[in-house]
Amino acid sequence: YFPKFVHVDQLVFTVMNKGGEILYHSEDLNDKGWDGSYRGQKASPGNYVYKLSYTTADGRDFSETGAFMLLE
């Protein structure tokens, strides 16, 4: 799981469980994204939270938080 952008210069993408534990973090625009695992094990199906902050090519900053469901 990883957002894809056009005209973005920087980003920070983090996936957390419901307890706020960070399962995945990346600042690499070319990252392939979270593969649904944590510490070498498949993460449990359920709800997860993401935080995304990014800067566009024209210098504007954006931030959003959301949730998604991981299915088995």
Side-chain angles (χ1 to χ4, degrees), residues 15-18 21 23 34 36 42-50 66-71:
V15 174
M16 296 163 285
N17 62 19
K18 292 182 286 186
E21 183 177 16
L23 307 180
W34 184 47
K42 284 176 54 175
S44 299
N47 294 319
Y48 291 84
V49 176
Y50 70 86
F68 64 94
M69 179 178 282
L70 181 66
L71 303 174

Side-chain angles (χ1 to χ4, degrees), residues 2-68:
F2 198 74
K4 297 296 179 192
F5 294 97
V6 177
H7 308 295
V8 170
D9 285 345
Q10 295 179 320
L11 70 76
V12 177
F13 180 64
T14 305
V15 174
M16 296 163 285
N17 62 19
K18 292 182 286 186
E21 183 177 16
I22 295 174
L23 307 180
Y24 175 82
H25 177 84
S26 179
E27 297 181 22
D28 181 356
L29 285 168
N30 297 312
D31 198 329
K32 292 184 180 182
W34 184 47
D35 64 2
S37 66
Y38 180 60
R39 295 184 179 172
Q41 303 288 324
K42 284 176 54 175
S44 299
N47 294 319
Y48 291 84
V49 176
Y50 70 86
K51 288 188 177 183
L52 174 66
S53 299
Y54 59 97
T55 302
T56 60
D58 61 3
R60 294 179 293 152
D61 293 322
F62 295 89
S63 182
E64 64 181 74
T65 301
F68 64 94

